[in-house]
Amino acid sequence: MKLELQKLNVKSLKFGDKTGFSDGVLAINKAELIALISEDPMLGKNIDADIAMPGESVRIMPVKDVIEPRWKIEGKGQVFPGMLSDVETVGEGKTLVLSGCAVLTAGKLVRFQEGIIDMSGPGADYTPYSKTCNVVLILEPSDPNMDKHDYETACRMAGLKAAAYLAKSCSGLQADSTEVYEMPKIRDAMNSYPELPKVGYIYMLQTQGLLHDTYLYGVDVKRILPTLISPLEVMDGAIVSGNCVSACDKNSTYSHLNNPVISDMLKRHGKDFNFVACIVTNENVTLADKRRSSSYATKLAAMLGLDGVVITEEGFGNPDADLIMNCRKSEQLGIKTALLTDEYAGQDGASQSLADSCPEGDACVTAGNANEVIKLPAMKKVIGYQEEANVIAGGWQGSLSDDGSITVELQAITGATSELGYTKLGAYTL
């Protein structure tokens, strides 16, 4: 498979008469954009759109998802297959990317499990989305008593439609830069680089229901057994977030599209190891389902003859059990593991970091302590509903002060402790 990402580098946003791109500026016809997402009868009449630029005194909350605008210009399928387009395999051909731009969906969906993005100040240092030029959709349901699952679907589809619309409007332009990625068929990969260890990626997706959902080609991942997928399919929009979980380690659709684990493993492929396959697995609720998925995912790794795997988690607490099962069973099959997670070690950092552990989990990378407390100063402009700070995960009644400042844990900041490593935090071994 060969995937070419043709990138237009967005440096600024503005509302204008016509949606298009020129000289680093993405112009957006606001009325046209709102009309597009207003086609969904599940969304109310008070839909709005706004823009936020890096460095501005702007706070956006509560944020549900972040999506990078993309449009497929050559090859099979279309962006976000199974959602906006037919279920056709992606991961090949040419895809237009509005690099440096993001679509944010904001609204009171699951009030305690959405996030905060500050475009400046200390909070901006903890979220990668303070550095993107953001198109913000402020979404409300058509019926305040609407089922939350229906509202989530409406918000998810609105964000995807907006992202595709923006990129499609810029198709036909000369790319500022082009990135080319290739991935051989497994048959060929197994016989490549015999001197190098064979490694894979076990990609854990949040699928615990109750609006804790992720979609693969439009299918709720909790309904599948672990399966093989090309990393290039992930980079081309096969995985979409539907999650309403704690903001700090929620894998946004943007972070799936730009998964740094996949990107780094592709860069090291053929040099440090032979990157053979990506195994998508789910995070489950019942013990039986956890056992089934962990056994099946590690069985696939063993069938491929992998020498090592990188395992990334999404979420915390209950999913820690899935993480450790994947780790232990891999090691018992002779497959070395490296884990990427975050910690909930208490505000003082002295509590147990993970809900589960095992002796085999001796190579673990942390994305930070989500319970660390931070004070976010007041911003000149708020897009959304700032009062949600008092109920958002990582906040508490009184988090929002009268002067507009907010005191919260990092848990409330979108992407602060991303377990894909798509974060601003770093770590080193003592």
Side-chain angles (χ1 to χ4, degrees), residues 68-86:
E68 186 173 50
R70 296 192 174 199
W71 184 256
K72 201 149 194 66
I73 53 179
E74 185 179 300
K76 295 190 300 180
Q78 191 41 264
V79 292
F80 314 123
M83 291 288 179
L84 296 185
S85 60
D86 289 340

Side-chain angles (χ1 to χ4, degrees), residues 69-382:
R70 296 192 174 199
W71 184 256
K72 201 149 194 66
I73 53 179
E74 185 179 300
K76 295 190 300 180
Q78 191 41 264
V79 292
F80 314 123
M83 291 288 179
L84 296 185
S85 60
D86 289 340
V87 185
E88 183 63 70
T89 302
V90 293
E92 295 182 287
K94 299 177 181 179
T95 299
L96 177 66
V97 181
L98 299 190
S99 181
C101 178
V103 172
L104 276 55
T105 51
K108 299 178 183 180
L109 183 53
V110 178
R111 298 175 59 198
F112 54 89
Q113 292 193 311
E114 310 305 338
I116 301 171
I117 295 176
D118 279 359
M119 300 303 292
S120 63
D125 294 335
Y126 287 90
T127 174
Y129 309 114
S130 65
K131 304 304 180 186
T132 50
C133 302
N134 296 325
V135 181
V136 187
L137 306 180
I138 303 96
L139 306 170
E140 294 183 358
S142 56
D143 179 356
N145 298 315
M146 177 184 293
D147 180 85
K148 292 292 186 182
H149 293 83
D150 291 337
Y151 184 24
E152 187 282 320
T153 298
C155 291
R156 174 167 24 101
M157 296 305 294
L160 298 176
K161 286 179 182 178
Y165 158 78
L166 293 174
K168 182 181 180 182
S169 300
C170 303
S171 60
L173 298 177
Q174 181 68 36
D176 293 318
S177 61
T178 299
E179 296 178 1
V180 179
Y181 298 90
E182 293 190 65
M183 195 74 185
K185 295 179 180 179
I186 290 180
R187 176 192 62 194
D188 299 322
M190 295 295 290
N191 297 316
S192 301
Y193 309 107
E195 74 283 4
L196 297 177
K198 294 182 176 66
V199 302
Y201 175 29
I202 295 181
Y203 195 171
M204 294 173 56
L205 302 177
Q206 175 59 255
T207 57
Q208 293 183 300
L210 298 174
L211 297 168
H212 294 29
D213 304 306
T214 306
Y215 296 87
L216 174 64
Y217 283 98
V219 176
D220 190 332
V221 178
K222 67 171 167 286
R223 298 179 178 178
I224 72 170
L225 284 170
T227 188
L228 295 174
I229 186 173
S230 168
L232 305 191
E233 293 175 83
V234 180
M235 298 172 72
D236 211 19
I239 296 177
V240 167
S241 172
N243 284 336
C244 301
V245 296
S246 291
C248 63
D249 53 16
K250 175 193 299 190
N251 290 340
S252 67
T253 300
Y254 192 108
S255 64
H256 287 303
L257 289 165
N258 296 279
N259 185 322
V261 174
I262 287 176
S263 178
D264 288 350
M265 291 183 76
L266 286 172
K267 290 176 182 177
R268 297 177 65 183
H269 171 62
K271 300 175 182 177
D272 299 314
F273 47 71
N274 180 9
F275 183 16
V276 173
C278 178
I279 300 169
V280 169
T281 188
N282 40 29
E283 297 174 351
N284 296 285
V285 177
T286 70
L287 182 58
D289 286 331
K290 291 178 185 293
R291 287 171 171 165
R292 179 184 297 109
S293 289
S294 58
S295 292
Y296 206 97
T298 54
K299 178 199 72 172
L300 290 175
M303 289 175 66
L304 293 170
L306 299 183
D307 300 300
V309 291
V310 175
I311 308 175
T312 61
E313 182 182 12
E314 181 173 13
F316 67 98
N318 191 299
D320 293 346
D322 301 79
L323 175 72
I324 297 305
M325 282 188 187
N326 286 323
C327 171
R328 185 175 62 249
K329 291 179 181 180
S330 293
E331 291 277 351
Q332 290 173 347
L333 290 168
I335 304 169
K336 297 296 184 181
T337 63
L339 310 181
L340 181 52
T341 180
D342 64 353
E343 304 174 56
Y344 283 75
Q347 294 184 358
D348 60 359
S351 298
Q352 181 174 319
S353 297
L354 299 175
D356 198 6
S357 64
C358 66
E360 294 87 350
D362 57 1
C364 185
V365 178
T366 177
N369 178 19
N371 294 134
E372 181 182 338
V373 175
I374 183 173
K375 185 172 182 178
L376 307 176
M379 294 284 136
K380 292 180 180 178
K381 178 179 178 180
V382 175

